[in-house]
Amino acid sequence: MNETIAPREAYGKALLKLGSENKDVVVLDADVSKATMTSLFAAEFPERFFNIGIAESDLVGTAAGLALMGKIPFANAYANFLTGNAWDQIRISVSYANKNVKLIGHNSGTSPGQEGPTHLPLEDISLMRSLPGMIVIEPADGIETAKAVRALAENVGQAYLRVGRMPTPVVTSEDDPFIIGKANVYRRGTDASILANGVMLSKAFEAADILAGEGISVDVINVHTVKPLDSECVLEAAGRTGCIVTAEEHSVIGGLGSAVAELLVQTRPVPVRIVGVKDRFGLSGKMPELLDALGLTAGAIVGAVKEAIAAK
Amino acid sequence: MDQHEKPDFEQLGDQCKKMRRQIVTMINRAGTGHPGGSLSAVEVMAVLFTSVMRVDPANPCWDRRDFFFLSKGHAAPVLYSALANRKFFPEEELLTLRQLDSRLHGHPSSECTPGVDMSSGALGQGLSVANGVALGARLNGTDQRAYVLIGDGELHEGQLWEAAMTSAHFRLDNVCAIVDSNGLCLDGPLDEVKCLGNLKAKYESFGWHAVEIDGHDLQAVYDAFQEALRTKGRPTVIIANTVKGKGVSFMEDQVGWHGLAPNNEQLKIALEELT
């Protein structure tokens, strides 16, 4: 097994470092700073840390006001409450008003585990992706999470970043480039392309190894930015291998699979299979158990690749 | 622009009449819009934009400006009128309200209207934004202030109470909220739709300094803003008791004029009353 890092730990450290380099960075949290690890920033820069309490709507609006004053606010809350409770505030005060707010959705996907379905954000990317101008990033691991923090601070504009709670395998390296909107191709194959992000990138590598053992050669591409989608990369892969499988720790409705399918069906129709959570709420259990129970496995990707190839 | 002279209230009274004429005219021209809650807020907006806020119409994004947020975004016509009278854009442009290529949308947009710092229209959002600006001003060490106009019916929105706690918790004395307390919602009288109870006591219990005034008395409005300026260590709310549709006899205190455009005949009568 690879080394593991909790994305939230990488996030907390990256934010602290960013804060020491850029005095305009301010951080808001909704009474979950120990879980989001913005507590690291708060301890070092208390004057630039605002605990808004358990009030995600107010948190987002306050962040928009700070952005008006030239600050770079990072607004933190659990992903489902941030994108769900504060949807209207994100839509108007941030997105429509085009404010430079960084929305950080924590405890993403299955990572809250035993908290149960109320706490499992499986729809957040769908909600954020539908907003005009919103950048949506789902990093593959802790290393990429840290890079995303820096990239978002340097890029003026609204953005949503997903951060997981539990340690997950490290599958990218410090030397890999991270450019918003630019997918990273890790393996090149000939028979199919696997487009994955988040924790599902590690599952995609596992699936690629299994498939290689059966003589099937696949791409493994990390689409860390769901929006704007790297359409050039997706179209190139579709053209070269002739079929696509997407994999995400999110509902099959509205996430990476939807984004890829929307592009391909209108430009280069090839067989597409979408691996994700099948239009259902989560469960209560440990994260590895949830990934298995919800069909977020290497085996599911292998099956989807074979189906996609057969459909060519 | 920096500090203001004490206003000439007679002149300001004339401006209020002019703003009311502009409001009913632009809504008539558009064929849709919200006259009731625009007319109720005219005095507050006139005093704010002529005699209280430090803004620079030639440079709307001046980095030391005071901020205004129209949390009750449907009262856009009164905001546009105030901005035009403050020379942020030509008064003739008011007649383009709600037209396809106009800079004056049905509800305010910070992306297209000079002098508008925040889009609004989904109710409840303005005070949180004002708090953010106030915190930013504190960090920057400037004396900039944030004003926000809230509807009384809008106070049904929970976010405004979340934000009221935030203003008080951070002791944001550079935040001043004005409640346009005209007593009417869209569906009926506020007290019948859902009553607010003792609003002044509510704010005070949240840690605010609260002032209650006749929102159509220019001197009282001006004095309330001066009191807010002098109040340290806590935010101030001005509860402005107003009449919805104020100035037009057939619109005054009538629920039906919340979101209805006057026809040409009604406009003619309104303009006669407002001369």
Side-chain angles (χ1 to χ4, degrees):
Chain A
M1 194 61 180
N2 294 315
E3 178 199 357
T4 62
I5 298 178
R8 61 171 171 156
E9 197 178 326
Y11 171 76
K13 289 177 181 168
L15 195 61
L16 175 63
K17 188 158 184 288
L18 181 68
S20 66
E21 294 166 8
N22 188 336
K23 302 295 176 206
D24 285 333
V25 171
V26 297
V27 175
L28 303 91
D29 204 300
D31 188 39
V32 284
S33 66
K34 291 186 182 74
T36 62
M37 301 200 68
T38 61
S39 53
L40 299 176
F41 183 100
E44 191 70 23
F45 307 109
E47 73 287 354
R48 283 191 274 146
F49 176 81
F50 305 105
N51 199 332
I52 303 297
I54 310 157
E56 291 81 6
S57 303
D58 187 36
L59 173 107
V60 168
T62 309
L66 281 156
L68 264 171
M69 294 299 288
K71 303 300 172 192
I72 306 172
F74 280 68
N76 300 267
Y78 289 165
N80 45 333
F81 306 133
L82 180 67
T83 61
N85 190 316
W87 160 252
D88 192 20
Q89 291 71 24
I90 293 173
R91 178 171 177 265
I92 302 298
S93 294
V94 175
S95 188
Y96 176 49
N98 195 21
K99 297 295 178 260
N100 186 26
V101 174
K102 316 304 176 186
L103 302 156
I104 317 298
H106 290 267
N107 279 14
S108 65
T110 61
S111 71
Q114 288 158 307
E115 301 298 332
T118 56
H119 282 57
L120 266 56
L122 298 172
E123 314 85 10
D124 53 323
I125 288 176
S126 177
L127 287 167
M128 293 298 102
R129 195 172 73 84
S130 66
L131 292 168
M134 184 67 72
I135 289 169
V136 180
I137 294 177
E138 161 80 312
D141 57 18
I143 288 177
E144 202 164 76
T145 301
K147 290 179 190 168
V149 168
R150 181 163 298 274
L152 288 186
E154 288 167 359
N155 180 78
V156 177
Q158 53 183 292
Y160 177 67
L161 171 68
R162 231 184 176 213
V163 178
R165 178 185 184 90
M166 301 303 288
T168 54
V170 172
V171 290
T172 69
S173 87
E174 294 287 357
D175 299 333
D176 296 342
F178 183 87
I179 300 166
I180 293 170
K182 189 85 188 131
N184 290 346
V185 179
Y186 282 95
R187 289 192 196 174
R188 276 186 184 278
T190 52
D191 301 321
S193 302
I194 304 174
L195 275 49
N197 61 17
V199 71
M200 294 308 287
L201 186 64
S202 67
K203 305 287 183 189
F205 283 122
E206 282 179 47
D209 288 341
I210 295 167
L211 289 162
E214 299 180 23
I216 299 171
S217 156
V218 296
D219 287 347
V220 177
I221 300 174
N222 174 12
V223 190
H224 49 69
T225 308
V226 182
K227 189 180 181 182
L229 185 66
D230 186 348
S231 52
E232 192 182 332
C233 174
V234 175
L235 289 170
E236 189 278 329
R240 189 162 39 75
T241 67
C243 69
I244 299 282
V245 169
T246 64
E248 63 198 301
E249 190 195 15
H250 183 269
S251 168
V252 293
I253 297 172
L256 173 64
S258 294
V260 168
E262 286 159 15
L263 171 69
L264 292 176
V265 78
Q266 297 181 83
T267 52
R268 183 154 203 147
V270 297
V272 175
R273 292 294 180 274
I274 297 172
V275 175
V277 178
K278 309 279 187 206
D279 193 19
R280 58 160 297 173
F281 287 105
L283 296 159
S284 182
K286 296 191 171 73
M287 184 176 176
E289 296 169 345
L290 290 183
L291 290 172
D292 286 346
L294 296 170
L296 304 173
T297 62
I301 298 173
V302 167
V305 166
K306 289 177 180 173
E307 269 187 46
I309 291 171
K312 276 204 233 182
Chain B
M1 280 303 300
D2 210 2
Q3 301 302 329
H4 293 278
E5 302 288 319
K6 195 168 161 39
D8 174 339
F9 290 113
E10 200 180 319
Q11 202 176 10
L12 208 49
D14 290 342
Q15 191 194 310
C16 288
K17 273 190 178 172
K18 179 182 169 198
M19 288 173 68
R20 288 194 161 91
R21 290 196 297 273
Q22 289 173 329
I23 288 166
V24 291
T25 304
M26 71 175 110
I27 294 173
N28 163 266
R29 189 68 68 93
T32 60
H34 298 83
S38 296
L39 293 169
S40 59
V42 165
E43 281 78 11
V44 165
M45 295 295 283
V47 171
L48 247 186
F49 276 83
T50 57
S51 310
V52 177
M53 283 177 54
R54 296 160 298 180
V55 292
D56 182 0
N59 179 17
C61 295
W62 177 40
D63 63 6
R64 298 296 292 269
R65 70 191 178 283
D66 289 334
F67 286 79
F68 173 77
F69 302 108
L70 185 68
S71 198
K72 47 174 284 186
H74 55 280
V78 73
L79 172 59
Y80 297 152
S81 171
L83 289 170
N85 282 286
R86 198 69 182 75
K87 311 290 182 212
F88 277 90
F89 49 82
E91 290 180 28
E92 302 80 67
E93 199 170 334
L94 293 173
L95 296 176
T96 68
L97 175 73
R98 291 184 169 228
Q99 304 305 319
L100 188 59
D101 296 323
S102 172
R103 295 194 291 179
L104 310 181
H105 290 191
H107 292 78
S109 166
S110 57
E111 287 303 279
C112 61
T113 310
V116 174
D117 280 311
M118 178 50 78
S119 305
S120 60
L123 294 172
Q125 301 191 12
L127 183 56
S128 300
V129 179
N131 288 339
V133 162
L135 288 168
R138 180 181 288 176
L139 279 177
N140 291 349
T142 64
D143 66 352
Q144 288 163 281
R145 294 175 62 78
Y147 296 90
V148 56
L149 183 67
I150 300 165
D152 51 357
E154 188 189 0
L155 284 164
H156 291 153
E157 291 281 4
Q159 187 190 353
L160 286 167
W161 298 102
E162 297 178 8
M165 283 184 258
T166 300
S167 322
H169 177 80
F170 290 102
R171 302 180 184 282
L172 298 177
D173 52 20
N174 49 350
V175 165
C176 177
I178 309 100
V179 177
D180 181 17
S181 187
N182 62 36
L184 298 183
C185 289
L186 196 158
D187 269 352
L190 177 66
D191 285 344
E192 286 177 23
V193 175
K194 189 159 77 176
C195 70
L196 296 177
N198 186 334
L199 191 55
K200 187 161 184 278
K202 268 197 170 76
Y203 271 107
E204 284 168 347
S205 74
F206 272 68
W208 285 60
H209 176 56
V211 193
E212 194 164 359
I213 57 161
D214 173 351
H216 299 304
D217 178 337
L218 287 168
Q219 177 79 55
V221 171
Y222 179 77
D223 290 347
F225 280 122
Q226 294 304 308
E227 186 173 329
L229 265 173
R230 289 191 303 268
T231 302
K232 300 299 172 197
R234 55 189 171 151
T236 294
V237 60
I238 299 170
I239 299 168
N241 292 316
T242 59
V243 174
K244 203 161 179 174
K246 175 75 176 177
V248 179
S249 59
F250 57 89
M251 290 186 183
E252 283 193 3
D253 213 23
Q254 295 299 310
V255 166
W257 285 100
H258 170 82
L260 186 66
N263 61 29
N264 291 341
E265 198 174 323
Q266 290 162 330
L267 176 67
K268 190 162 165 271
I269 300 167
L271 291 177
E272 279 167 12
E273 292 181 6
L274 292 167
T275 47

